[in-house]
């Protein structure tokens, strides 16, 4: 299976309609312990994802000559950040 392609219902070899139609019953959870206040107090909240940027990026569109763009891209990964840093230093 190719990892770069998303799995389709056919390759999952699962009856997704049957899975979606399943409704849990009370006795499905008999082996789980009761949730107590002590358990809830021990819990912590973890924020997922990237931290909020102090200087967030905003998407803009500018027209540049192809040669200028090719020269920046030729400098390797991080060329957009280097371009933004250079423009930021020269801003009024």
């Amino acid at each position: 299976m190719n990892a770069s392609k998303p799995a389709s219902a056919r390759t999952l070899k699962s009856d997704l309609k049957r899975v979606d139609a399943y409704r849990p019953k009370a006795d499905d959870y008999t082996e789980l312990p009761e949730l107590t206040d002590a358990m809830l107090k021990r819990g912590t909240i973890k924020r997922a994802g990237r931290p909020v940027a102090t200087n967030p990026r905003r998407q803009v569109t500018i027209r540049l000559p192809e040669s200028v763009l090719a020269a920046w891209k030729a400098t390797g990964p991080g060329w957009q950040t280097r371009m933004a840093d250079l423009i930021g230093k020269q801003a009024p």
Side-chain angles (χ1 to χ4, degrees):
M1 184 182 331
N2 188 344
S4 64
K5 293 184 179 179
S8 67
R10 184 174 296 209
T11 60
L12 286 176
K13 298 196 185 338
S14 176
D15 186 356
L16 295 178
K17 288 181 183 177
R18 184 174 60 89
V19 171
D20 288 339
Y22 178 76
R23 300 292 175 248
K25 298 171 193 65
D27 61 333
D28 289 345
Y29 300 102
T30 55
E31 71 278 0
L32 299 175
E34 281 295 319
L35 191 60
T36 65
D37 288 335
M39 290 176 176
L40 292 174
K41 287 179 183 175
R42 287 194 318 248
T44 59
I45 297 175
K46 292 187 178 182
R47 302 245 180 229
R50 292 183 175 195
V52 177
T54 57
N55 187 11
R57 303 293 176 139
R58 183 171 158 211
Q59 184 174 349
V60 295
T61 302
I62 60 172
R63 292 180 165 290
L64 297 172
E66 190 64 37
S67 60
V68 171
L69 194 56
W72 274 101
K73 286 184 176 182
T75 65
W79 67 269
Q80 292 169 315
T81 302
R82 288 190 296 278
M83 181 186 276
D85 290 343
L86 183 64
I87 293 170
K89 289 177 186 174
Q90 296 178 0

